Amino acid sequence: MKKLMAFFLVVVLLLTMAAGCAKSQAPVSTPDGQNQTDQTDSKTDSNDSTDNEISATITYLTSQPLYAKNSDAINEELHKVHPKINVIIEHISDNYEAVLKTQMASSNAPDIFSWQGYLAMVPFVEDNKVADLSNESFDSIVFPNFLESGKKDGRQYGIPTIMQSLGLLYNKDVFEKAGITEIPRTISALKEAVEKIKAIGVQPFTSGLKDQWVCYDLFWFAQTPVMDDMMGWYNAMNEGKASFRTERTEKMFELFDFIYENSGDKPLSSDFAEMCHQLAAGTAAMAVQGDWAYEETQKIDPNANLGMMGLPVSEDPAESAIMADSAEILFVSEQSENKEAAVAFIKWMLSKEGAEYLGSITKTPSTSSLKPVIELNPFAADANKWVNDGNKAVPFAWNFWAPGIMDVVGKNIQAYFSGSITLDEFFEDLDNQWAKTVN
Amino acid sequence: MANFALTGLFNKFYGVVIRKGDLLMNLSYRKKLKDLSSLLLFIAPFTVLYIIFLLFPLVQGAFYSFTDWNGISSNVRFIGLANYIEAFTNDKRFINSLIVTGKYTVATVLISNVVGLGLALFIENSVKIKSMLRTLFFVPYIFSLVVVGFSWKFIYTKIATNIYQLTNIGFFNLDFLGSHKIALISVIFMSVWHGMGYYMLIYIAGIQSIDQYILEAATIDGASGWKKFRYIKFPLLMPSVTICVFTCLAGSLKVFESIFVLTSGGPGYATETIAVNIYNEAFGSANLYGYGTAKAVVLALIIMVVSFIQLSYFKSKEVEA
């Protein structure tokens, strides 16, 4: 009898294990049918209420750490407009792609997730992983030129929510101390400034090159700012008729070498965090990075006097450029059961109140066309001024890159600077990789 | 009838011949049947887990290695051996990662075992503080590799620089993680530091199991310390060496965490081992899941072949006292 009992228990144990692996698609109904009644309740609720309240809990995978950190406050603010929508905000900084892909493969995709637009979203669109939002009239609340980044074949899939900028970050106090009154707009002016900074014993640049993504951000300046016919080049590249190696990209590498040589003893051991810290502490004067560095600089000195300018790319002051592009482009999963709530949440993010509230957290400009008033962080403010003053601004290069080229660029930049490959090999390898991924 | 066939099967299994009507034999046969069923019952939970979480993914992974799946699409195209051909003919990074893994493995296996054995002998001789030293050297091993990696990242970048500023000794100003010539050595050093305590422990157990009479006999015969080690201790330690080299070899060939945390394969490709390369290929922006899987199959085969050769060679060298 005992043995029979033991056998029975083992079988039950095994079955439990098997049950654990099964996909839980249908809600488990309790014997008294409580869950079912709950569901019908909420349905009748939403039908009854006059202002069409949607009731749901949605998940949102973001690349913006501050959203996740302020998740409770965001929910509170959201409830003023949508009292029945709850958002679970999850942030992943490393291996974002791996996590997103794993969640999708296990039919566990977040309702809303952030991704790049343009070419980077194509695999998701082609495989019906993201919902078509063309009929949600986002064009009435977002600047139409920003919406381009989330379009494919005239259909709207991604909704860009914020604007980010990339340029030459600098410590204004160090510049003042070194006696640099005007920001350098040509390479020779930059070299002069570097001499002045050296003279007061400060390291001119801080590199962050240990992080691969910082490496490819740097390389973007050898792309969009120095191309006369951007789309023409990318199209030619996809047909295998162009090369990364042009006269102008080679020239840019002279500038990169100059930056590398003036980035202290060990530029390849310095990572993004260290770069921000050095900049804020004033132990280094400049860095090629974006306005997202703001949060990290705050950790060292919240009152650091920082700013952003265009990176000089030639002897022509008008060519000195920053990159400004839409970011935190949001997609709604096709598998999501709460599409309506997800869309309502994105619309809230872009509404005047929502954008102003989120802007007060991130201090980053919104893409909303409803004129939200946002106090910008010093980098974003300078970038905004740069663009408004009619200076050169270009899009991020990665939006046009063949999938997979990002990692190769990052690694190859490191390999080039560490001296394990030559510039010839650098360009050759990049061209080969591009051809490979396009085919 | 079915019952009869089953009986035959179990007879074969146990090599027992049962004569019909032999009550005694029949009893022992029933006892053995009972033993077998309880045996099966005991291993069932593990076997089921093993099949679900290891065997099934393995087979599925091998299947994906013959496809061009991108990790997202539901459209999986069968492309035969193209991934394997690509890896060996047209992928410089993969070949590079094979070389890096080779260098890493040879260095780690040799140094870890020499250091581990050395520590074991040293500790066995230092009678007074034996247990304290044993704990001290074993401590690194109980930390997670990720934690160890972050600590060493800090040591290599910040602490080394600080020491240099205080002492002005040039060695500490080396670019431990940023130079493509030194980065791999830095990684190997950390791995050895992390793993040596484990190998030391196995060697200590091996040394302690050596019969004292043999050593005494050798001493009486006038053998010196080195000779005792070379001709008595070391040959008798061969089973421990087999185990240590085997664990270290398999671990080194598939090394991932320590490198991922410390350098993520950089600078450039200087420390990109096969596992890191596979990770970048399958989960990076390249979306080449099928291709990454093919490389993973190659890695699994390499580990199997190398381990098999190592095990059979080392086993042949083992002696008994």
Side-chain angles (χ1 to χ4, degrees):
Chain A
M1 201 55 211
K2 250 188 194 168
K3 273 172 231 151
L4 207 72
M5 193 67 192
F7 181 77
F8 176 73
L9 282 176
V10 169
V11 170
V12 168
L13 190 77
L14 287 175
L15 282 177
T16 338
M17 277 191 321
C21 301
K23 288 177 192 166
S24 54
Q25 274 169 344
V28 184
S29 56
T30 44
D32 55 358
Q34 201 161 5
N35 261 356
Q36 250 101 28
T37 31
D38 268 3
Q39 272 192 335
T40 38
D41 270 359
S42 63
K43 259 182 199 156
T44 41
D45 261 8
S46 57
N47 287 339
D48 285 349
S49 60
T50 41
D51 49 28
N52 247 338
E53 273 169 22
I54 311 152
S55 161
T57 298
I58 52 177
T59 48
Y60 168 24
L61 186 67
T62 178
S63 57
Q64 170 56 268
L66 289 172
Y67 286 167
K69 220 181 257 177
N70 295 286
S71 160
D72 291 344
I74 290 175
N75 269 299
E76 215 169 279
E77 201 65 24
L78 174 71
H79 289 162
K80 290 180 186 166
V81 186
H82 298 291
K84 289 190 172 172
I85 300 181
N86 284 309
V87 190
I88 300 169
I89 303 176
E90 197 187 344
H91 162 70
I92 292 152
S93 59
D94 284 336
N95 313 322
Y96 184 90
E97 299 173 70
V99 173
L100 180 62
K101 278 179 206 165
T102 317
Q103 290 188 346
M104 281 193 163
S106 58
S107 301
N108 194 22
D111 296 310
I112 304 173
F113 63 89
S114 154
W115 192 248
Q116 293 102 47
Y118 299 104
L119 292 174
M121 69 177 185
V122 171
F124 290 110
V125 174
E126 280 178 350
D127 202 50
N128 273 332
K129 293 283 189 215
V130 289
D132 183 349
L133 304 175
S134 309
N135 301 325
E136 302 289 350
S137 59
F138 274 102
D139 46 349
S140 61
I141 52 171
V142 181
F143 286 114
N145 54 334
F146 285 130
L147 282 177
E148 286 303 313
S149 57
K151 270 188 188 161
K152 184 178 186 291
D153 304 329
R155 311 297 294 170
Q156 190 79 44
Y157 297 97
I159 309 295
T161 53
I162 58 170
M163 213 185 100
Q164 288 185 322
S165 42
L166 180 74
L168 188 57
L169 312 180
Y170 68 112
N171 188 313
K172 289 179 176 173
D173 287 343
V174 174
F175 265 53
E176 202 178 309
K177 224 187 277 170
I180 306 164
T181 47
E182 210 173 306
I183 58 166
R185 281 172 166 266
T186 61
I187 289 182
S188 48
L190 184 69
K191 285 184 177 166
E192 265 171 49
V194 164
E195 287 310 315
K196 283 181 185 166
I197 294 163
K198 271 189 194 162
I200 59 163
V202 173
Q203 186 181 312
F205 292 97
T206 170
S207 75
L209 290 174
K210 188 173 192 302
D211 287 325
Q212 277 165 42
W213 60 273
V214 175
C215 294
Y216 61 70
D217 282 2
L218 176 68
F219 182 74
W220 290 355
F221 280 96
Q223 287 260 288
T224 41
V226 295
M227 281 177 178
D228 299 323
D229 175 18
M230 207 173 65
M231 285 323 287
W233 183 84
Y234 287 114
N235 287 335
M237 200 65 198
N238 289 336
E239 286 163 18
K241 286 176 189 158
S243 163
F244 270 98
R245 178 166 219 155
T246 64
E247 212 176 300
R248 298 223 50 182
T249 48
E250 271 177 46
K251 264 263 168 342
M252 281 309 288
F253 267 85
E254 285 171 25
L255 176 64
F256 293 163
D257 285 342
F258 176 71
I259 293 176
Y260 181 81
E261 282 155 18
N262 287 292
S263 296
D265 282 348
K266 304 167 188 167
L268 285 169
S269 285
S270 140
D271 60 7
F272 175 70
E274 194 189 328
M275 160 185 182
C276 297
H277 299 165
Q278 277 197 301
L279 200 63
T283 51
M286 295 178 275
V288 181
Q289 254 302 305
D291 62 342
W292 48 86
Y294 170 70
E295 201 208 338
E296 194 66 41
T297 60
Q298 290 289 292
K299 291 180 186 165
I300 292 295
D301 182 3
N303 301 315
N305 191 5
L306 304 168
M308 186 195 283
M309 58 173 146
L311 181 72
V313 295
S314 66
E315 290 305 322
D316 180 1
E319 277 205 320
S320 169
I322 69 157
M323 292 184 196
D325 213 324
S326 51
E328 191 67 11
I329 302 175
L330 299 184
F331 295 85
V332 175
S333 299
E334 185 62 41
Q335 333 169 340
S336 164
E337 286 164 11
N338 301 312
K339 284 198 193 102
E340 210 184 333
V343 169
F345 175 69
I346 299 177
K347 281 190 170 163
W348 174 78
M349 291 177 82
L350 294 161
S351 69
K352 191 162 158 44
E353 314 84 60
E356 276 177 6
Y357 181 70
L358 294 176
S360 74
I361 296 174
T362 59
K363 306 207 182 326
T364 314
S366 167
T367 55
S368 167
S369 57
L370 305 171
K371 302 199 177 66
V373 184
I374 295 165
E375 189 203 339
L376 300 178
N377 73 54
F379 298 135
D382 277 7
N384 218 18
K385 191 169 177 301
W386 179 275
V387 177
N388 288 340
D389 288 352
N391 293 304
K392 190 172 178 181
V394 290
F396 291 167
W398 68 355
N399 291 317
F400 311 103
W401 279 356
I405 214 76
M406 256 147 42
D407 293 347
V408 183
V409 171
K411 290 226 153 209
N412 276 9
I413 286 271
Q414 275 185 349
Y416 166 73
F417 280 136
S418 73
S420 48
I421 60 170
T422 63
L423 196 56
D424 292 333
E425 288 169 317
F426 176 89
F427 283 124
E428 199 190 303
D429 191 44
L430 230 51
D431 287 343
N432 286 341
Q433 289 289 342
W434 189 293
K436 225 195 237 180
T437 39
V438 167
N439 295 333
Chain B
M1 194 59 206
N3 193 22
F4 182 72
L6 209 65
T7 316
L9 190 73
F10 283 124
N11 288 346
K12 231 176 203 169
F13 191 83
Y14 281 103
V16 181
V17 184
I18 299 175
R19 275 160 291 167
K20 274 205 174 150
D22 190 337
L23 189 67
L24 205 67
M25 274 310 233
N26 211 4
L27 261 179
S28 81
Y29 154 73
R30 279 183 58 175
K31 189 175 175 302
K32 279 188 175 155
L33 181 64
K34 222 171 65 186
D35 282 354
L36 182 73
S37 56
S38 57
L39 183 81
L40 284 174
L41 212 58
F42 272 120
I43 62 165
F46 177 74
T47 315
V48 170
L49 282 180
Y50 179 81
I51 290 170
I52 294 175
F53 292 108
L54 276 163
L55 214 57
F56 179 63
L58 196 75
V59 174
Q60 203 182 23
F63 165 74
Y64 281 128
S65 74
F66 297 106
T67 69
D68 68 346
W69 192 41
N70 66 3
I72 306 170
S73 173
S74 46
N75 171 17
V76 181
R77 204 158 52 98
F78 189 80
I79 53 166
L81 285 171
N83 283 332
Y84 293 91
I85 296 166
E86 170 81 13
F88 284 107
T89 56
N90 196 16
D91 191 344
K92 273 194 289 185
R93 286 177 65 179
F94 182 60
I95 303 296
N96 175 63
S97 72
L98 286 175
I99 297 168
V100 171
T101 311
K103 283 183 192 167
Y104 175 88
T105 305
V106 171
T108 311
V109 169
L110 273 178
I111 302 173
S112 289
N113 282 287
V114 170
V115 171
L117 184 56
L119 283 177
L121 290 168
F122 170 70
I123 284 173
E124 275 306 295
N125 288 332
S126 55
V127 187
K128 274 182 188 163
I129 43 172
K130 205 186 237 178
S131 61
M132 197 191 84
L133 282 178
R134 206 162 49 195
T135 316
L136 206 65
F137 289 119
F138 188 69
V139 162
Y141 187 75
I142 60 176
F143 290 117
S144 142
L145 254 180
V146 178
V147 177
V148 169
F150 275 115
S151 315
W152 276 93
K153 196 169 159 182
F154 187 70
I155 294 171
Y156 279 137
T157 49
K158 299 280 155 53
I159 295 182
T161 317
N162 283 354
I163 295 177
Y164 170 71
Q165 281 160 358
L166 289 174
T167 60
N168 240 348
I169 299 171
F171 173 77
F172 291 107
N173 199 30
L174 287 174
D175 196 352
F176 289 105
L177 299 179
S179 155
H180 72 279
K181 288 177 189 136
I182 309 177
L184 189 60
I185 300 173
S186 308
V187 173
I188 292 169
F189 183 81
M190 187 196 86
S191 300
V192 171
W193 177 84
H194 178 253
M196 64 186 186
Y198 176 70
Y199 305 116
M200 173 197 78
L201 219 58
I202 297 181
Y203 284 125
I204 287 180
I207 291 170
Q208 283 175 349
S209 70
I210 294 174
D211 207 330
Q212 286 303 313
Y213 296 127
I214 305 172
L215 289 172
E216 260 171 42
T219 316
I220 291 165
D221 286 346
S224 66
W226 164 251
K227 279 195 171 147
K228 264 194 278 182
F229 171 73
R230 172 68 189 85
Y231 295 106
I232 298 178
K233 278 188 188 169
F234 189 69
L236 287 175
L237 269 179
M238 237 11 229
S240 307
V241 176
T242 311
I243 291 298
C244 284
V245 171
F246 171 71
T247 351
C248 194
L249 197 65
S252 301
L253 284 171
K254 60 181 188 205
V255 61
F256 179 79
E257 305 102 306
S258 49
I259 290 187
F260 193 70
V261 173
L262 213 52
T263 64
S264 19
Y269 307 98
T271 54
E272 192 176 77
T273 56
I274 307 176
V276 176
N277 180 271
I278 290 168
Y279 175 84
N280 287 336
E281 207 74 74
F283 294 109
S285 49
N287 278 339
L288 299 171
Y289 195 90
Y291 185 42
T293 318
K295 290 185 191 180
V297 171
V298 172
L299 174 61
L301 288 177
I302 291 175
I303 294 178
M304 262 165 64
V305 171
V306 171
S307 305
F308 180 76
I309 294 172
Q310 182 261 334
L311 270 183
S312 48
Y313 178 74
F314 275 60
K315 281 268 181 213
S316 72
K317 293 281 168 194
E318 282 176 17
V319 288
E320 271 176 49

